[in-house]
Each structure stands twice: as C-alpha cells, then as structure tokens.
Amino acid sequence: MASMMFTDCSSSTTSRLIHFNRCTGTILRRQSAGQLRLPTTAPGRRSCSLSIRSSSSPTPAISAVTNSEASAIVIDGKAVAKTIRDEITIEVSRMKESTGVVPGLAVILVGDRKDSATYVRNKKKACDSVGIKSFEVCLPEDSSEEEVLKSVSGFNSDPSVHGILVQLPLPSHMDEQNILNAVSIEKDVDGFHPLNIGRLAMRGREPLFVPCTPKGCIELLHRYNIGIKGKRAVVIGRSNIVGMPAALLLQREDATVTMIHSRTKNSEEITRQADIIISAVGQPNMVRGNWIKPGAVIIDVGINPVEDTNAPRGYRLVGDICYEEACKVASAITPVPGGVGPMTIAMLLSNTLISAKRIHNFQ
Amino acid sequence: MASMMFTDCSSSTTSRLIHFNRCTGTILRRQSAGQLRLPTTAPGRRSCSLSIRSSSSPTPAISAVTNSEASAIVIDGKAVAKTIRDEITIEVSRMKESTGVVPGLAVILVGDRKDSATYVRNKKKACDSVGIKSFEVCLPEDSSEEEVLKSVSGFNSDPSVHGILVQLPLPSHMDEQNILNAVSIEKDVDGFHPLNIGRLAMRGREPLFVPCTPKGCIELLHRYNIGIKGKRAVVIGRSNIVGMPAALLLQREDATVTMIHSRTKNSEEITRQADIIISAVGQPNMVRGNWIKPGAVIIDVGINPVEDTNAPRGYRLVGDICYEEACKVASAITPVPGGVGPMTIAMLLSNTLISAKRIHNFQ
C-alpha cells in the first residue's frame, strides 16, 4: 500500500490561503467570475471535508460533514459491482450446466505483504461468491524468479485455470516484466500484456482482455447510461494500469480524450473543459471544485488514506477529487470508497468468465 | 492512392462565404476578436491558395501566390531527410566494414496498382542511395493468401533480410491483418504490429520499431530543436498508421496530447489550444488560419491532390492545413510536398538499419 499522505484539500496554488479559508479560497475566486455554481459556506454547513497535510501543519484532521447542497448523482460502484457479480453467478452456473466446465482463476502471491495478502483473500472470496474456482500459490519472499516462473508455467498449462494473476508488487530481486510476460496471453485476465494494450490502442483490433480498473470505470458510465461518444474526456494520470488504458477505452468509444500528467501545464484549465473526468493519480483531493465544469461526470479511481483522528484507524480514505466540492458541481460522481474500488474485482471475475467461455467456445 | 478530392480551402462552416471572400471570411471574424495576427487581403497579395471543391462549384482552380507576410519557419523535410540518409549511409558503411553485414529490406508487392509500384520503386531507390540491399517479390493480383504468406515466411527466415514490408493495400480477397501478423516482429520495420504499438503506449517499455511516418514527424521536431515536454499537442486523425502512434509518441515525450477525430465537437477550439499540431486526416486545407494559436508548430502529414488547371497534371498536392493562412500564424510549419513526405522513407531506412544493428548486436 502506498505510504500515507495527508492533505488540506487545497491545490498548491491556494495553500497560502489555508489559514483563513481552507477550502473556499479558490472557489470564491471562481464564483466571482460567475462560471461555477459553487456554494458559499454557511452556518451549520461545510463545503469541504478536510484533513491537514502533515508537512505544512501539525493540526489534526477536521472531519467530514453533510453535503446538503450536493446535486450530483452518486455513482454507486458497490451496487453495480453486486449486480455484475449476480450476472456472473448466473453465467458461471449456465456454463457449468452446459459444458461441465467451471471457470478458474489462479493467483500467485510472493512474500508476506499484508496488503497483498488482503487483496488475494478478497479475490478468493469474490471468486467463491460467484462460483469461480480459485487457485492460489503462496511463495516465500526469498523465492527465486525461476520458482515464480515455474508456477506461472504450471497454471499456463493447467486446463482448469482460465485466468492467471501475479499479485504485484513482486520482491525487488525479481524482474516483474519478465514474470508478467510469461503469463499466457490467453489467460492474462489483468490485460496488461503489451499485445493486449496494442490491440486496445488500434482501431479494428480487439484486445483479449481489457484491464480491470479502467474497464470498471467505463462499465460504470455504461450502467448509468452516461454517453461517451463525442464527449470531451480528461484522464488524470497516465499509469500503464489505469490512466493510459482508460484513455484508450474512452478513445475507442469516440470521446475526445486528453491525458493529463505531471508535466502538464494548466491542468485545472484543461480539466475544466471535460464532460467526463477519470482521475487515477493518487493525490488526495487534488481536483478541486473549480477544476470541474458544471454537469461533468466524475470517475475517481484514487484511494488515498488521509489522517483522521476521529476515524477508528486514525485515517480515512479519500479520492483524487475533493468530493465535497465536486458533488456540488458535477452531475454524477463516484464516491471513495464505494465507487470504482468494488468494480475492479467484479471486472476480474468478468474477465475470468470471458476467458473460460472463449477457451471452451461457449456463448 | 486515395481518390482525388477538390477543395475550396474553406471549412464547411464558412463555405457560404466563398463567393464573396473565399479564404478570409472566418479570418476576418477572428481578427475582430483581436486574437490572431492574421493578414487582411491587399492588392497584389493573396492570403490563401485556392481551388474549388468540384461538388460545390464547377469553377476551375485559382492558383497559388506569394506569401509576403509569412512569418513561420519552413520545416524542410526534404533537407532533413537528406541529412538522415547521409547519416545512414555512413552507418551502413561502418557496419559493413566492421561486420561484413549489409542491412537488407524486403518488399512484397501484390497486384499491379500503379501507385504501389511507384512507392516500391522509390523505396528501392532510397535503399540503393544509402547502401541498404533491397529485395523484392512481385506477385500477381490473383495470388492466394498462402503464396503471400510463403513469401513473408521466406523473408522471415532469410538472414540477409532485416526488414520486411508488405505494400498496402493488398487485394481485397486477402486478410491483410493475417498477412501483417505473419511478419516476424524482429523484422516489422513498419512498426504496425500490435505488440510494438502496445510497447509504444506503455511507460517503461520500448517498441522494437516506431512507425515510420509518426517517427518522421517527431524527428522533424527534434531536428528543429522544437521542445515537446510540457507542450499542448493536438493530433488530428486517429489512424493506426499515423494519428494514434503520433499521439503516443508525443505522450512519451511528455506533451499533453488531445486526439481529434470525426466525432470531436469544437475541433477548431481544441486545435487553437495547441502548441504543436500534427494533422493526418486527409482533408485538403481543413485546418484554417483561425484554428491555429499564434506561434504554434505545425506538422502536416496530409498529402491531398486538388484540382489545378494551371498545374501540368491538372492537380497539385496540398496538406490538411491551409498553408497560406497557417504560415502567417504558426512559428514553424511543414510544407506539402517537401515536409513529412520525404521523412517516411528516411525513417524506413533508419528502422532497417536499427534492425540490422540489433540482430547483429552492432553498436
């Protein structure tokens, strides 16, 4: 898991205002230009959920409040993921009855990172819940690359395994790329193989699998009947795992896509042009209300822990988008947690089912 | 070659003005907003080279004129390509002397399309000029897919061939994708293999080859010391051959890239934000002066024949960008012809040399 970051919910440009009006400084400026329908703060109401960036101030977190002026539809990833799991359950059962084949997902875990162990446990649970058979290999931290490759190879040739997942990160003495490349492309349910990404980028080509998190983002748009064709879309972050494939997917659906990254100048201005924003940058509350065009749709992939002394664990999770501001400007928004998060595993199950169907030529 | 298109150099939105002020209608409107330093028309001076879209008017072409107000640096692709060919000549010679190996490029031509035959002849000439050995197989139009695949396979296993090029388009009874996929990825000097495109899209991965035309576009920017990092770039057109890989290349060099296509709304407005424009859409003179931010750099990949009764062949070649307008707004621009065109073959030679060096481990 990424090291914890603490935030004041202010962009760096507005941080100097923090002692006076932590969340509304830039908002008020935008309001004076008459471009955004953002709220003023009022008694008994708060416009932003705050915690304090530890480097700039030792003040403890101020916790969240009501969103009485929120106008955005909340895109309920948890509910959509549940619906998808139900659909998969039916399909897995239908496949088993027709062909006798049960889709199988194998996970390879190396080392004893607690977060990785939790992810793997959650994946196993999710498989169980839909009737997908799960396989697991746990190797010690000091395993050799050859041992991992041997496990990959075993699952590649195992006909009861239709999807293979190597839990990342791997120990630093291993060549991650080498190991991922060893996964048979027919079973690469993560969809990270360059051949898959190439097909995703090319018109007229079809990837075998679409990477799970970006697939989940687009699925949320589809399930909420949010049109993509002809829309301006901004993807914040250009990782191989989320940002880049999300941009390619939006492009495939005829959006006009701009990818924003660490070298981008005027990120705010560019984001403000977007009808659809997908953010996957890992910066808590980076995107403020005044970055958002009124009526935009926001998919927030970020899951960032921020200090919160009122929370049972001393922290809580927030997205890349300052939710309390954004929900008053956007027309629809994913919450964190409960937005994109649950979709990733649902899409992994979906990819495993797709793989099993393809391998066994079952429609 | 694409069927001929005739243009009035006007965007569709301004075509109604054509009988009165063919090229300056939209320009004058932009001028009134004081945003662009565009010229007014004056006696003895023309602001745009015109020919008339045959469907809208039978009037013959009005030919080009002087560009006395042009301020843009002309990016001389012909001269850069010559320099690159000279560099390749030296490297080919050095490799031959050190290893005895001469880089080899094989071209497979199917059918008797005159344009394809011309391209293949030009490629052969270019190979000869730098000392690259060229191989050629010409198959009749009614060849079977198997015969083409056999030729591909032969070149795949021929150690004196380091690059293989299947001249497109292939006859319609053949599966183009199937044949292109058969080319060994180590010899795919066109760089169109999905695995190459995937690597191009992914951070931390390196493609074996970069597709020639987009590589030529970026090379022109490099050779003219035009910075890419942090710049806003717009790519017009999203073909697998030019637009999409050009966008990926700009992205790799830390530009903030937006890809414009047929479903894009407000193409003008988006293009006007760009510091760098690469256009590869095949629409003669589509991008007008008022689409361009003053000082922008323009790489025009379009090569479109337009009717010109004064030209010896009855037509002349123009780009996607209305050059006569653009050269007064941009800081640098590629002409058509003589811009990107000569770079494509230079990059093909470069890729062939790269391939030979890699296969023979020669630095």
Side-chain angles (χ1 to χ4, degrees):
Chain A
M1 192 184 285
S3 61
M4 275 217 223
M5 294 188 68
F6 304 108
T7 180
D8 58 22
C9 187
S10 294
S11 69
S12 58
T13 52
T14 59
S15 58
R16 64 188 183 280
L17 297 168
I18 199 166
H19 293 297
F20 304 103
N21 193 342
R22 282 195 175 84
C23 245
T24 56
T26 50
I27 295 167
L28 291 172
R29 269 189 275 138
R30 290 290 308 162
Q31 276 184 314
S32 66
Q35 287 184 31
L36 293 182
R37 49 182 177 83
L38 280 163
T40 52
T41 47
R45 190 192 287 163
R46 281 274 314 288
S47 67
C48 184
S49 160
L50 291 181
S51 61
I52 306 298
R53 192 181 292 273
S54 58
S55 60
S56 64
S57 163
T59 317
I62 305 164
S63 64
V65 275
T66 57
N67 298 314
S68 55
E69 293 192 13
S71 61
I73 292 167
V74 178
I75 298 176
D76 187 346
K78 213 169 158 183
V80 173
K82 165 80 171 65
T83 305
I84 292 170
R85 282 199 309 273
D86 290 346
E87 292 165 4
I88 293 172
T89 305
I90 294 168
E91 282 299 284
V92 166
S93 165
R94 191 172 69 85
M95 187 174 180
K96 190 179 172 184
E97 276 167 30
S98 296
T99 64
V101 174
V102 178
L105 174 67
V107 179
I108 298 169
L109 175 64
V110 189
D112 46 12
R113 286 176 65 109
K114 276 190 184 168
D115 55 347
S116 291
T118 305
Y119 292 144
V120 169
R121 199 165 49 242
N122 289 342
K123 282 165 191 166
K124 191 181 173 338
K125 262 194 222 167
C127 283
D128 292 347
S129 77
V130 299
I132 288 177
K133 210 168 166 182
S134 59
F135 300 81
E136 204 179 305
V137 164
C138 297
L139 295 169
E141 179 82 16
D142 60 355
S143 304
S144 68
E145 200 172 308
E146 286 64 40
E147 285 171 294
V148 182
L149 287 170
K150 205 176 151 192
S151 292
V152 171
S153 169
F155 287 135
N156 277 343
S157 55
D158 184 342
S160 56
V161 170
H162 306 97
I164 302 170
L165 211 145
V166 181
Q167 183 65 44
L168 300 180
L170 288 165
S172 55
H173 66 279
M174 292 181 186
D175 183 342
E176 202 168 278
Q177 201 165 307
N178 201 24
I179 291 171
L180 292 179
N181 281 349
V183 174
S184 156
I185 186 162
E186 282 78 23
K187 299 187 179 184
D188 172 38
V189 283
D190 255 343
F192 296 150
H193 195 288
L195 194 56
N196 254 324
I197 298 292
R199 287 180 181 172
L200 197 63
M202 295 172 87
R203 282 162 71 80
R205 303 276 184 135
E206 291 298 328
L208 287 175
F209 302 103
V210 174
C212 300
T213 303
K215 183 177 177 177
C217 296
I218 304 297
E219 190 67 28
L220 284 176
L221 296 174
H222 289 168
R223 298 267 173 166
Y224 276 79
N225 291 318
I226 294 161
I228 300 176
K229 189 174 182 166
K231 297 285 172 65
R232 287 291 300 274
V234 162
V235 176
I236 309 177
R238 53 173 166 174
S239 68
N240 288 342
I241 296 175
V242 187
M244 179 269 291
L248 296 178
L249 281 169
L250 288 165
Q251 165 76 30
R252 280 179 91 85
E253 300 222 8
D254 290 334
T256 300
V257 186
T258 306
M259 218 192 302
I260 282 179
H261 48 76
S262 58
R263 304 297 179 185
T264 298
K265 293 166 189 162
N266 309 323
S267 298
E268 289 187 35
E269 192 189 319
I270 298 169
T271 307
R272 207 146 44 222
Q273 296 173 4
D275 303 305
I276 297 169
I277 300 169
I278 296 183
S279 183
V281 77
Q283 291 287 339
N285 295 318
M286 186 187 84
V287 177
R288 307 293 304 270
N290 60 344
W291 289 42
I292 299 161
K293 180 162 89 172
V297 173
I298 298 174
I299 306 292
D300 190 351
V301 183
I303 303 180
N304 313 291
V306 294
E307 192 181 49
D308 183 349
T309 50
N310 290 331
R313 295 180 185 191
Y315 72 90
R316 63 195 163 80
L317 298 176
V318 302
D320 295 343
I321 316 278
C322 184
Y323 184 87
E324 284 72 15
E325 289 180 6
C327 66
K328 290 162 191 147
V329 191
S331 64
I333 184 167
T334 57
V336 176
V340 176
M343 292 297 289
T344 300
I345 289 191
M347 294 299 104
L348 177 66
L349 302 175
S350 161
N351 279 353
T352 306
L353 174 64
I354 287 170
S355 177
K357 283 183 167 185
R358 182 165 41 224
I359 289 170
H360 295 280
N361 200 20
F362 178 72
Q363 304 294 325
Chain B
M1 192 184 284
S3 60
M4 276 218 223
M5 295 187 67
F6 304 107
T7 181
D8 58 23
C9 187
S10 294
S11 69
S12 58
T13 52
T14 59
S15 57
R16 65 188 182 281
L17 297 168
I18 198 166
H19 292 298
F20 303 102
N21 193 344
R22 281 195 172 86
C23 244
T24 56
T26 50
I27 295 167
L28 291 173
R29 268 190 275 139
R30 292 290 308 162
Q31 276 184 314
S32 68
Q35 287 183 32
L36 294 182
R37 49 181 177 83
L38 281 163
T40 53
T41 47
R45 188 194 289 162
R46 280 276 313 291
S47 67
C48 185
S49 160
L50 291 180
S51 61
I52 307 298
R53 192 180 293 272
S54 58
S55 60
S56 64
S57 165
T59 317
I62 304 165
S63 63
V65 274
T66 58
N67 296 316
S68 55
E69 293 193 12
S71 61
I73 292 167
V74 178
I75 297 176
D76 187 346
K78 213 170 157 182
V80 173
K82 165 81 171 65
T83 305
I84 291 170
R85 283 199 308 275
D86 290 346
E87 292 164 2
I88 293 172
T89 306
I90 292 167
E91 282 298 284
V92 166
S93 164
R94 191 171 70 86
M95 187 174 180
K96 190 179 171 184
E97 276 167 30
S98 297
T99 65
V101 174
V102 178
L105 175 67
V107 179
I108 298 169
L109 175 65
V110 188
D112 46 12
R113 286 177 66 108
K114 275 191 185 168
D115 55 348
S116 290
T118 306
Y119 292 144
V120 170
R121 200 166 48 244
N122 289 341
K123 281 165 192 166
K124 192 181 174 336
K125 261 194 222 166
C127 283
D128 292 348
S129 77
V130 298
I132 288 177
K133 211 167 165 181
S134 59
F135 301 81
E136 205 179 306
V137 163
C138 296
L139 296 168
E141 179 82 16
D142 60 355
S143 304
S144 69
E145 200 172 308
E146 286 64 40
E147 285 171 294
V148 182
L149 286 170
K150 206 177 150 192
S151 292
V152 171
S153 170
F155 287 134
N156 277 343
S157 56
D158 184 341
S160 55
V161 171
H162 307 97
I164 302 170
L165 211 145
V166 181
Q167 184 65 42
L168 300 180
L170 288 165
S172 56
H173 66 278
M174 292 181 186
D175 183 340
E176 201 168 280
Q177 201 164 307
N178 201 24
I179 291 171
L180 291 179
N181 281 349
V183 174
S184 156
I185 185 162
E186 281 78 23
K187 299 186 179 184
D188 172 38
V189 283
D190 255 343
F192 295 150
H193 196 289
L195 194 56
N196 254 325
I197 298 293
R199 288 180 181 173
L200 198 62
M202 296 172 88
R203 281 162 72 79
R205 302 276 184 134
E206 291 297 328
L208 287 174
F209 301 103
V210 174
C212 301
T213 302
K215 183 178 178 177
C217 296
I218 303 299
E219 190 66 28
L220 284 176
L221 295 174
H222 288 169
R223 298 266 172 168
Y224 276 79
N225 290 317
I226 294 161
I228 300 175
K229 189 174 183 167
K231 296 285 171 65
R232 288 289 301 275
V234 162
V235 176
I236 309 176
R238 53 173 167 175
S239 67
N240 288 343
I241 296 173
V242 187
M244 180 269 291
L248 296 178
L249 281 170
L250 288 166
Q251 165 75 30
R252 279 179 91 86
E253 300 223 7
D254 290 333
T256 300
V257 187
T258 307
M259 219 192 303
I260 283 178
H261 48 77
S262 58
R263 304 296 179 184
T264 298
K265 293 166 189 162
N266 309 323
S267 298
E268 289 187 34
E269 193 190 317
I270 299 169
T271 307
R272 206 146 44 221
Q273 296 173 5
D275 303 304
I276 298 169
I277 300 169
I278 297 184
S279 184
V281 78
Q283 291 288 338
N285 294 318
M286 186 187 83
V287 177
R288 307 293 304 270
N290 60 344
W291 290 42
I292 299 162
K293 181 163 90 172
V297 173
I298 299 174
I299 306 292
D300 190 352
V301 183
I303 302 179
N304 312 292
V306 295
E307 192 181 51
D308 183 348
T309 49
N310 290 332
R313 294 180 185 190
Y315 72 89
R316 65 197 161 79
L317 299 177
V318 302
D320 296 343
I321 315 277
C322 184
Y323 185 87
E324 285 72 15
E325 290 179 6
C327 66
K328 290 162 191 146
V329 190
S331 64
I333 184 167
T334 56
V336 175
V340 176
M343 292 297 288
T344 300
I345 289 190
M347 293 300 103
L348 178 66
L349 302 176
S350 160
N351 279 354
T352 306
L353 174 64
I354 287 169
S355 177
K357 282 183 168 185
R358 183 165 40 223
I359 289 170
H360 294 279
N361 200 20
F362 178 72
Q363 305 295 326

